[in-house]
Amino acid sequence: MDSSIPKAPEVAEKALRRLLKRKGLADLITQGAFGRTAITNGAGEVIAGDPTGRSGSPQTISIDGTTIGQVWGEHASHLGRLLTALLDLSLENRALATESLDKYREISLLYNVSEKLLEAPDIKDIGALICNEAQRFLRSDSVSVLLLNDETKSLELVQSQGRPYHSRASMEIGEDLVGAVLHSGKGEIVNDVDADPRSIQGDSALRSIICVPLKSKNRAVGVVVVGSESIRHFNAADLQLLNALASQAAAAIEVARLYGALKRTSATPADLVYGLDDRPPLGTLAVLGVQHVFIAFIMLVVPVLIAVEAGLAPSQAASVVSMSLIAMGIVTLLQVRRLGPIGAGYLAPQITSVIYLPPLLMAAKLGGIGLVFGMTALSGIAGLVLSQIIGRLRKLFPPEVCGVVVLMIGLSIIRVALPRFFGIEEGGTATDREALIVGLASLTTMVAVTVVRTGHVRLYATIIGLLVGYAAAVALGVIDGAFFGQVRDLPWFGLPAAPVLDLSLSPVLIVPFLIATVASNVKIVGLITSAQKTNDLNWKRPDMVSIRGGIIADSIGNISSGLLGGVGTSVGAGNIGLAAATGATSRTIGIVAGLMFIVLAFIPKLTGAIALMPGPVMAAGLLYTSCFLVISGLELIVSRLLDSRRTFIVGLSILSGVGLDLMPDAFADAPAWAAAFLGSPLAFATTLAVSLNFVLGLGVSKKARLELRHGTAPDEIFRFFERWGGAWGARPDVIRRAGPAAVEFCEEIWSRDGPAQIAIDLAFDEFRLSIEIGWIAERTDEEAGLERLVGHVQRRYDCRARLSADGSSRLARLNFEH
Amino acid sequence: MAGKILICDDEAHIRRLIEQCLEELEDDGVEILTAADGEEAIGRIESHRPDIIILDVMMPKINGFDICEKIKADERLRSAFVMLLTAKGQEYDRLRGERVGADRYMTKPFDPDDLLAVAREVLAARS
């Protein structure tokens, strides 16, 4: 493959020397079969025979007219002609052998490359492999792998070795050699770039170039450029070899792309239609904004309910709704960009949240609306503090504990919602049939529209349900006739009624509000993480700066909401879901939605109508929401492996919460300080879950070791993984991948290294499960089998694997994202 | 550099190929010997005591494993560096190669450059 021109005389001289050493011939010469004779090389040095036999006229040994040596002595003429013939034969033989050796080398290269390509996990690795092999076999200064980007119609440098063909990361497809190869789909050799009429792009200093296409399905998707800074003679064999390499690589790239696409589609529900920085057209923008507003609408039940519970007049209730809307708008706008420490940087519409409903209701009952506002502002301040320690909170609030909190919030809604659903007056027991019909009509509509999927109509389920509820309430007289009059008298545009702002605080409510704040923030962590995943195809782990920014923005929202006279808000789960499902995550949508929230606050007709929401309709909205809360709570709980310890943490907490709800007076004579914990089922269940998790979690090591002897049944390894996965509350799917990966490794080790003793070390934190498999290798060569296994395990079990060696001890590290 | 390398393969073209691949060692004074079957191989090993023995596994009369086992069991011969060559993908062969004490195991198509590098290394270490 070396394309430098062979220096024929030297090769021929070496062949002559070799020939003269051949046993039969050497013996003949030394035994004097040709008399006293000397053989000299081209330079006149004696290389065989008797140095003193250099006499008379010599016979020249020449190949293709070049003198290789001379034969002296009495039989010089015979021996010379014989040697010439033999040398000719031997050179011919050698040429054939060299050619087949080259072919063999080529076969070996392609064989190895195809094997390695199968294990190269991504396009960059494939690129690196091509560079390595091409450089090794063509002995060139420079190899570049360029791939076509179909969107930008430019060529991007994937990988290079030596001086790249082009110094920038991407280049236009021009009229140069690379462009020509891309268009024709045929490889080309240019041995002298300066003599070629086509230019080569940019600042490349390459003088000789081979360029071949990377072809997939008959279309060139990129090129491999091999070059040299000095003039070289690349030949047809080089081109052929590079072509063979490129065609295998192209197939591997195609597979890697498909695999990447597959991974992406499974990671995000839909391809992004509008990315973070895209600007959808105005019409689309308006529709998307309205959808986000409608999803948020149902949650306005919370401020209305709180206002009603606090005994506010409808006009004041409308003000609470308006102020909450303004707070929602402000935070939604804050969330779309990161301004210093504030904001998540994503489309994360902020809506009034049911999470705050239980403590807000307590506040409304205990101290009226002033306490509601005061505690809301205080929860914002608590949020600011929590934002700084949110990473550590994950330990106190693992998913199953969060699940208990969310489930209990869902369950606690029953107590507020059901009396209104049945139209039962406070202190009474009689069901109001008309109210029940209104509630049922509203709830049934919401559920029916949601379940019967008809495209985007689904998004309007709650709005339609609310309207049906209002209509039924008017028809059945659940709202008195004055409703229309009152709404009619309200202006279309105007400032919201001034709120009653006598803020107050109560120490008894600190714990319930703190729990709600933590729950809200934990929820925000999850939602912003999923917003990150939707937007970042290479998402690896949560971006804590963005999460912290999101919580800070949310906290500022709560502080301003409390000070303005509104209730607490949180990132809307439905909105994040909508963004992922529609593939529209543009920041502009967030800005539009935020502005819409604020504008709505200045439409008194609307806020007034919302404030007059009939009890059964409110109840329908709450029950609808509660279904989602209960289910997401349960999902959180079962998202991790539960061992017996965790079963009791979850079980006891839920039982106690529900129990306290059934027997509210159980702790009637508890001391005042304990009222904060015992006053509400939610606070009680949460406190219990957190403390049980803490107490029962003490002494659970985050590391575990299993030592294995040859022939241990795979079951034992699986059990080890299940046991510790349960103890740590790891995700079942991660454990189900990690166990078999370890088993495969052990089996390979035993088949390689005989009865090696293997130690498996597991370590777990919330982000990662790492496995270290250590053993003493019997064989220290032939690591290829293990490397292959590493590649296979990475691909099959979706983890990062690495192999390291120290003397004869080997360590395989497998990392699973958690 | 001095030394002897014995190439044992029943296929003449593979022998020639390996010879060609080791040609530059020959220029440095290394002697290259060949054998076309197991018996011939054993004869050459005993008479020439090569430093490196490249053994094809599948050979008539006595196969590569048996030859390797024989070499490694013999006090006088065991210092020879034995390379076993076999067709790709016969995993069982690899294990067997380990058991009979081969110093190196290569699968065909082997990389000629690799073969040359190993031979050079072994000879350099011995001289």
Side-chain angles (χ1 to χ4, degrees):
Chain A
M1 290 292 103
D2 194 343
S3 56
S4 59
I5 305 164
K7 296 181 181 87
E10 281 171 30
V11 173
E13 188 193 321
K14 274 187 182 169
L16 179 62
R17 281 174 187 266
R18 225 174 285 133
L19 195 61
L20 290 168
K21 274 192 217 150
R22 283 271 176 97
K23 222 169 168 26
L25 191 61
D27 289 350
L28 281 178
I29 294 172
T30 47
Q31 284 160 14
F34 299 96
R36 211 156 58 94
T37 183
I39 297 147
T40 54
N41 64 7
E45 300 155 288
V46 177
I47 53 172
D50 184 349
T52 60
R54 221 170 129 169
S55 61
S57 58
Q59 169 74 35
T60 303
I61 304 172
S62 70
I63 297 288
D64 298 336
T66 312
T67 301
I68 308 299
Q70 284 178 315
V71 182
W72 307 75
E74 43 187 319
H75 298 292
S77 151
H78 289 128
L79 181 57
R81 268 180 281 163
L82 179 65
L83 284 179
T84 306
L86 283 174
L87 182 60
D88 209 24
L89 263 177
S90 136
L91 283 173
E92 214 167 275
N93 191 333
R94 184 185 177 277
L96 280 172
T98 313
E99 196 183 324
S100 48
L101 188 63
D102 277 347
K103 287 279 171 246
Y104 196 80
R105 192 177 272 130
E106 204 172 294
I107 292 171
S108 146
L109 159 82
L110 294 177
Y111 208 106
N112 283 328
V113 166
S114 70
E115 221 166 50
K116 286 186 198 152
L117 279 174
L118 282 177
E119 281 145 25
D122 57 41
I123 291 174
K124 266 217 146 358
D125 292 319
I126 295 170
L129 196 63
I130 303 173
C131 289
N132 265 333
E133 300 295 329
Q135 192 165 43
R136 193 152 77 94
F137 276 84
L138 299 175
R139 303 205 179 116
S140 60
D141 310 324
S142 144
V143 186
S144 311
V145 178
L146 301 153
L147 279 183
L148 193 63
N149 182 330
D150 277 327
E151 274 174 28
T152 59
K153 299 281 172 228
S154 61
L155 274 170
E156 285 168 6
L157 184 67
V158 173
Q159 201 61 268
S160 67
Q161 222 166 71
R163 178 189 277 273
Y165 174 70
H166 194 269
S167 58
R168 265 175 291 147
S170 98
M171 58 177 257
E172 298 304 309
I173 301 166
E175 301 290 307
D176 62 339
L177 175 67
V178 166
V181 168
L182 260 185
H183 285 300
S184 70
K186 289 203 174 72
E188 279 197 56
I189 301 177
V190 175
N191 273 334
D192 184 357
V193 166
D194 297 334
D196 196 275
R198 293 163 300 192
S199 60
I200 68 168
Q201 275 204 46
D203 46 12
S204 174
L206 301 177
R207 302 290 309 280
S208 299
I209 288 180
I210 312 188
C211 178
V212 297
L214 287 161
K215 280 209 273 193
S216 163
K217 292 182 197 135
N218 273 329
R219 194 177 75 98
V221 295
V223 290
V224 181
V225 187
V226 173
S228 159
E229 287 180 43
S230 54
I231 297 250
R232 278 267 308 264
H233 289 270
F234 289 118
N235 57 29
D238 296 334
L239 180 65
Q240 194 189 336
L241 180 69
L242 195 58
N243 255 325
L245 188 63
S247 75
Q248 290 205 19
I253 288 172
E254 176 77 12
V255 170
R257 278 190 168 162
L258 286 175
Y259 181 69
L262 200 68
K263 258 186 129 172
R264 253 175 317 206
T265 24
S266 57
T268 59
D271 283 335
L272 283 190
V273 183
Y274 299 110
L276 263 186
D277 294 310
D278 293 341
R279 280 167 194 271
L282 214 59
T284 315
L285 205 54
V287 171
L288 289 168
V290 167
Q291 285 177 350
H292 278 285
V293 170
F294 277 4
I295 286 189
F297 231 82
I298 187 72
M299 291 304 173
L300 292 175
V301 172
V302 176
V304 177
L305 188 65
I306 297 303
V308 172
E309 288 289 317
L312 294 191
S315 69
Q316 286 300 317
S319 156
V320 178
V321 171
S322 288
M323 295 309 169
S324 301
L325 275 168
I326 292 174
M328 282 159 61
I330 292 173
V331 193
T332 304
L333 292 176
L334 285 180
Q335 292 290 26
V336 296
R337 282 203 186 280
R338 285 191 209 170
L339 296 172
I342 306 163
Y346 292 97
L347 165 64
Q350 195 90 9
I351 64 179
T352 46
S353 171
V354 223
I355 290 183
Y356 288 106
L357 191 61
L360 284 174
L361 283 170
M362 287 171 79
K365 284 215 177 89
L366 201 69
I369 201 73
L371 190 55
V372 165
F373 298 153
M375 292 310 292
T376 296
L378 187 67
S379 75
I381 294 168
L384 287 180
V385 177
L386 286 175
S387 72
Q388 300 310 306
I389 53 166
I390 194 75
R392 265 167 275 168
L393 276 184
R394 272 184 85 152
K395 278 213 172 86
L396 278 181
F397 287 83
E400 65 274 17
V401 171
C402 292
V404 170
V405 179
V406 174
L407 179 67
M408 286 310 300
I409 292 170
L411 293 179
S412 68
I413 286 175
I414 299 173
R415 190 166 280 279
V416 227
L418 279 192
R420 288 187 166 78
F421 198 71
F422 288 93
I424 299 170
E425 303 278 318
E426 191 139 353
T429 50
T431 301
D432 177 346
R433 197 183 311 157
E434 276 77 24
L436 184 57
I437 292 172
V438 170
L440 277 175
S442 182
L443 183 60
T444 316
T445 312
M446 288 180 199
V447 173
V449 177
T450 312
V451 173
V452 184
R453 304 153 168 249
T454 42
H456 280 178
V457 180
R458 243 185 117 191
L459 298 173
Y460 308 117
T462 50
I463 287 283
I464 298 171
L466 286 179
L467 291 177
V468 167
Y470 270 88
V474 171
L476 293 174
V478 173
I479 296 183
D480 57 48
F483 173 76
F484 284 110
Q486 282 173 354
V487 174
R488 198 186 311 128
D489 290 344
L490 291 168
W492 276 106
F493 286 101
L495 290 176
V500 190
L501 279 178
D502 49 348
L503 268 56
S504 62
L505 299 171
S506 157
V508 179
L509 293 176
I510 289 178
V511 172
F513 268 93
L514 195 61
I515 289 170
T517 310
V518 171
S520 160
N521 287 346
V522 169
K523 188 181 123 191
I524 292 174
V525 173
L527 290 175
I528 292 179
T529 307
S530 71
Q532 290 170 359
K533 282 184 192 163
T534 311
N535 284 291
D536 181 5
L537 302 178
N538 299 316
W539 186 90
K540 287 263 155 49
R541 53 180 53 236
D543 171 1
M544 287 315 280
V545 177
S546 149
I547 287 174
R548 217 168 279 138
I551 294 175
I552 292 175
D554 172 78
S555 307
I556 292 174
N558 284 346
I559 296 172
S560 45
S561 192
L563 297 180
L564 285 169
V567 297
T569 65
S570 188
V571 175
N575 299 74
I576 297 288
L578 174 67
T582 54
T585 62
S586 155
R587 291 195 168 100
T588 325
I589 303 169
I591 295 172
V592 169
L595 292 176
M596 279 182 176
F597 287 146
I598 295 174
V599 169
L600 291 179
F602 294 91
I603 304 179
K605 247 192 213 317
L606 180 82
T607 51
I610 294 171
L612 287 170
M613 193 182 291
V617 179
M618 256 193 259
L622 287 171
L623 290 176
Y624 178 88
T625 315
S626 168
C627 291
F628 290 100
L629 282 172
V630 169
I631 295 305
S632 59
L634 289 175
E635 275 177 352
L636 272 172
I637 292 169
V638 298
S639 70
R640 301 302 177 94
L641 287 174
L642 300 174
D643 63 353
S644 53
R645 192 173 53 87
R646 279 162 192 273
T647 305
F648 284 118
I649 295 173
V650 171
L652 283 176
S653 315
I654 295 175
L655 289 180
S656 319
V658 174
L660 187 61
D661 209 16
L662 292 174
M663 306 195 307
D665 300 327
F667 298 113
D669 46 1
W673 62 264
F677 300 97
L678 304 176
S680 88
L682 170 64
F684 186 44
T686 309
T687 317
L688 199 61
V690 170
S691 20
L692 282 177
N693 175 54
F694 181 72
V695 173
L696 293 180
L698 290 176
V700 175
S701 157
K702 288 290 177 194
K703 285 196 172 111
R705 166 173 270 237
L706 176 67
E707 285 183 2
L708 296 169
R709 295 196 168 282
H710 182 51
T712 307
D715 262 10
E716 191 177 321
I717 303 175
F718 289 138
R719 270 201 305 276
F720 171 69
F721 274 84
E722 292 280 339
R723 187 175 81 230
W724 285 100
W728 296 328
R731 287 204 186 108
D733 65 296
V734 172
I735 294 297
R736 257 171 242 141
R737 279 183 287 133
V743 169
E744 271 201 46
F745 241 100
C746 293
E747 284 178 344
E748 169 69 17
I749 293 166
W750 282 323
S751 83
R752 254 177 66 86
D753 292 322
Q757 192 161 353
I758 301 175
I760 302 181
D761 285 297
L762 286 188
F764 177 78
D765 65 32
E766 276 299 311
F767 299 109
R768 183 186 307 137
L769 174 73
S770 46
I771 309 174
E772 290 190 352
I773 303 175
W775 76 101
I776 304 294
E778 293 272 311
R779 301 179 47 104
T780 47
D781 55 342
E782 181 64 45
E783 298 290 285
L786 279 176
E787 293 292 349
R788 251 197 304 281
L789 183 67
V790 165
H792 162 77
V793 163
Q794 292 206 73
R795 185 155 313 171
R796 172 144 187 218
Y797 299 105
D798 195 14
C799 63
R800 281 264 151 217
R802 262 178 56 202
L803 200 62
S804 58
D806 180 10
S808 61
S809 66
R810 294 279 177 282
L811 190 64
R813 279 198 196 83
L814 311 181
N815 273 327
F816 288 83
E817 295 285 340
H818 192 266
Chain B
M1 196 185 286
K4 290 177 189 169
I5 300 177
L6 174 64
I7 303 165
C8 317
D9 200 312
D10 55 325
E11 286 177 86
H13 74 274
I14 297 276
R15 283 200 306 275
R16 183 70 190 88
L17 205 67
I18 299 174
E19 245 182 296
Q20 186 59 45
C21 150
L22 300 175
E23 189 189 52
E24 38 182 285
L25 291 177
E26 213 179 350
D27 293 338
D28 294 343
V30 174
E31 192 177 340
I32 296 192
L33 310 156
T34 56
D37 63 49
E39 265 175 16
E40 196 187 342
I42 289 187
R44 298 247 152 158
I45 292 165
E46 284 178 346
S47 58
H48 287 87
R49 302 282 172 86
D51 300 274
I52 297 176
I53 303 165
I54 300 170
L55 276 176
D56 181 35
V57 164
M58 296 294 291
M59 273 194 299
K61 298 184 188 165
I62 309 175
N63 71 31
F65 293 129
D66 294 344
I67 297 176
C68 180
E69 204 159 21
K70 232 178 178 127
I71 297 167
K72 293 297 175 185
D74 191 326
E75 268 315 320
R76 302 162 303 145
L77 305 176
R78 73 159 48 129
S79 67
F81 187 92
V82 180
M83 280 165 100
L84 279 176
L85 289 182
T86 187
K88 193 88 182 168
Q90 298 178 7
E91 198 57 9
Y92 173 74
D93 279 4
R94 200 193 68 180
L95 293 174
R96 196 158 163 211
E98 282 171 33
R99 228 163 283 144
V100 296
D103 296 282
R104 186 73 184 230
Y105 192 84
M106 278 195 172
T107 48
K108 292 179 191 169
F110 56 88
D111 182 341
D113 297 337
D114 243 16
L115 184 75
L116 177 62
V118 171
R120 196 185 282 285
E121 212 173 282
V122 171
L123 291 178
R126 287 182 177 227
S127 59

